Amino acid sequence: GESVGLHLPTLSVQEGDNSIINCAYSNSASDYFIWYKQESGKGPQFIIDIRSNMDKRQGQRVTVLLNKTVKHLSLQIAATQPGDSAVYFCAENAGGTSYGKLTFGQGTILTVHP
Amino acid sequence: KAGVTQTPRYLIKTRGQQVTLSCSPISGHRSVSWYQQTPGQGLQFLFEYFSETQRNKGNFPGRFSGRQFSNSRSEMNVSTLELGDSALYLCASSLIGQGSGYTFGSGTRLTVV
């Protein structure tokens, strides 16, 4: 049914801590998984992606883990900084004829305290 | 290189009016997708255009339409505006509209009063 409103999960951390943001996805046919960061007044900004044939991928200060068995995706941010404060979204694309279509999770609000 | 440009940034319209939003993709990107973002429903896919053809469409009423020009710029139109159409409208461009290489614009904030 329709949701009345989204209540975004929140994560509050201290500067320098490691952050882990989780996401459950629903489509077992999804081929690409992407993490986006959205700051106030801006569009989603690409952080890192992972393809379905991988289970881990690392970037600069970020790591994405994919567990296809339980349809779970996580984003780990090392040494979190105040500039990392934003809403984080996971997104999936099924590939094939799903042209241009990303299915987004509800998002998680990350707040980093100095 | 220049990013995805959306104009205007803000719009206020009255119920029943129509509105046109514009999106200029990254140079060389031929696919443009549109999304609606609201606090209640999150980010939802509207449609995708590639080489002036709509290839994919989300679950929105026919009041929402779009088009793409030969230079890959895209417009979306909402007719007979309703209060519930108030949202941030985002476009994303990519080379071919597959995979993970989508770059988003900053959006157009539409308020319907």
Side-chain angles (χ1 to χ4, degrees):
Chain A
E2 295 184 4
S3 63
V4 174
L6 293 176
H7 298 282
L8 301 188
T10 60
L11 177 63
S12 185
V13 301
Q14 290 296 127
E15 181 178 2
D17 287 351
N18 296 331
S19 301
I20 300 176
I21 301 171
N22 297 301
C23 175
Y25 65 92
S26 57
N27 187 355
S28 57
S30 288
D31 194 18
Y32 294 88
F33 301 88
I34 312 157
W35 281 99
Y36 285 96
K37 170 187 180 183
Q38 188 175 26
E39 297 173 286
S40 181
K42 297 183 179 179
Q45 176 186 357
F46 174 91
I47 301 172
I48 191 168
D49 62 354
I50 188 168
R51 200 149 178 200
S52 60
N53 60 357
M54 304 171 67
D55 53 22
K56 180 178 180 179
R57 190 163 188 223
Q58 289 183 291
Q60 187 175 9
R61 283 202 305 121
V62 294
T63 300
V64 56
L65 299 178
L66 175 63
N67 185 330
K68 293 181 289 294
T69 302
V70 295
K71 296 182 189 172
H72 183 267
L73 193 66
S74 69
L75 176 70
Q76 300 177 2
I77 304 174
T80 317
Q81 303 167 359
D84 294 327
S85 294
V87 181
Y88 287 80
F89 294 94
C90 64
E92 53 186 298
N93 177 267
T97 58
S98 293
Y99 300 117
K101 181 179 180 180
L102 296 173
T103 301
F104 283 84
Q106 64 179 7
T108 295
I109 300 171
L110 174 66
T111 302
V112 183
H113 300 282
Chain B
K1 58 182 177 181
V4 178
T5 303
Q6 291 189 246
T7 57
R9 285 300 310 275
Y10 303 93
L11 267 178
I12 300 176
K13 290 287 187 178
T14 305
R15 269 182 302 175
Q17 287 186 314
Q18 73 166 9
V19 67
T20 299
L21 313 181
S22 179
C23 173
S24 293
I26 289 172
S27 178
H29 284 194
R30 296 170 63 189
S31 167
V32 174
S33 304
W34 288 88
Y35 291 81
Q36 182 195 64
Q37 186 174 24
T38 61
Q41 299 295 325
L43 279 145
Q44 293 191 299
F45 172 76
L46 281 154
F47 31 65
E48 187 260 6
Y49 285 86
F50 180 86
S51 291
E52 303 178 64
T53 300
Q54 184 184 90
R55 293 191 301 184
N56 202 0
K57 190 175 187 301
N59 297 322
F60 279 81
R63 299 186 297 108
F64 292 82
S65 63
R67 60 178 176 169
Q68 187 180 36
F69 302 93
S70 59
N71 62 356
S72 294
R73 188 177 71 86
S74 177
E75 290 181 345
M76 68 163 282
N77 183 276
V78 188
S79 62
T80 319
L81 284 166
E82 301 176 359
L83 295 179
D85 296 333
S86 295
L88 180 66
Y89 289 89
L90 293 158
C91 78
S93 79
S94 74
L95 281 169
I96 59 171
Q98 291 183 304
S100 59
Y102 299 90
T103 302
F104 283 82
S106 293
T108 294
R109 172 72 64 185
L110 172 64
T111 303
V112 183
V113 297

